[in-house]
Amino acid sequence: MTKGTIAAGAALMLLLGTGGTLAYWNDNASLAGQTITAGQLRVVQNGTATWQIQHQSGTVEAVANIGNARIVPGDKLIYTGAYNVTAEGQNLAFKVDLAAGAITGSTTAAADVALAGRLAAAATFSVNGGAATAPGTSVTVPKTGGNAVTTTPVTITATITWPFGDATSPAADNLAKQGKVNLSAFALTVTQVAG
């Protein structure tokens, strides 16, 4: 009798090992096919930007080619550019910024470095006529339209001022004579922020 019990147990273990006779019932169903699509955030310039120069007297004149301008202490350069920001996405919000370090000396020559320092110290930009802001400080632009594709026009006005200064200024201004600055990093950035 004991031998028969051992033999039956061994047969049961053998069946369990194969997994064929004690499987649970199961079934499956396909989920409805769906597509997930990413949104977008893009910025393109709209038209041609303009430059103006405002002299200490208050007179403002257009500058056809900023590379040909010869500025002096007391001058203010005004850049105006129109841009279209295309935004698409659920709960998308973004900020607009003028890159910090946009004004650098063309070379490491003392005059170039001195001029860049004078101009960068007083540079500001504004978005859609808002408050003047230092480059590197972002301005958040609200996106409307929910999940739809929206195009938001953004006007950037950047002001680069060479302060006329006071009695102590010649020490810095004289060093900047015939200096040149590089505006190749003068760039608008649009960056997503937490929505």
Side-chain angles (χ1 to χ4, degrees), residues 20-134:
T21 59
L22 296 179
Y24 293 105
W25 281 355
N26 59 38
D27 199 359
N28 62 70
S30 298
L31 298 176
Q34 298 289 333
T35 300
I36 299 173
T37 305
Q40 59 178 311
L41 181 62
R42 304 178 190 278
V43 59
V44 294
Q45 188 167 350
N46 183 13
T48 303
T50 62
W51 284 93
Q52 295 175 302
I53 186 168
Q54 179 177 337
H55 302 291
Q56 190 183 6
S57 64
T59 303
V60 179
E61 60 182 276
V63 179
N65 185 345
I66 193 63
N68 292 334
R70 297 295 181 265
I71 61 174
V72 299
D75 282 346
K76 181 184 294 185
L77 296 173
I78 304 166
Y79 169 90
T80 304
Y83 299 84
N84 286 331
V85 179
T86 300
E88 177 186 13
Q90 201 74 28
N91 302 317
L92 176 64
F94 57 89
K95 61 184 181 180
V96 176
D97 187 14
L98 188 66
I103 303 171
T104 58
S106 292
T107 69
T108 56
D112 293 358
V113 173
L115 181 59
R118 293 296 280 162
L119 299 182
T124 61
F125 80 103
S126 65
V127 179
N128 293 337
T133 307

Side-chain angles (χ1 to χ4, degrees), residues 3 8 16 19 32 47 53-54 61 69 81 87 110 124 150 159-160 186 189 191:
K3 290 180 181 180
L16 286 173
I53 186 168
Q54 179 177 337
E61 60 182 276
T124 61
T150 61
T159 304
I160 303 173
F186 201 69
T189 61
T191 308

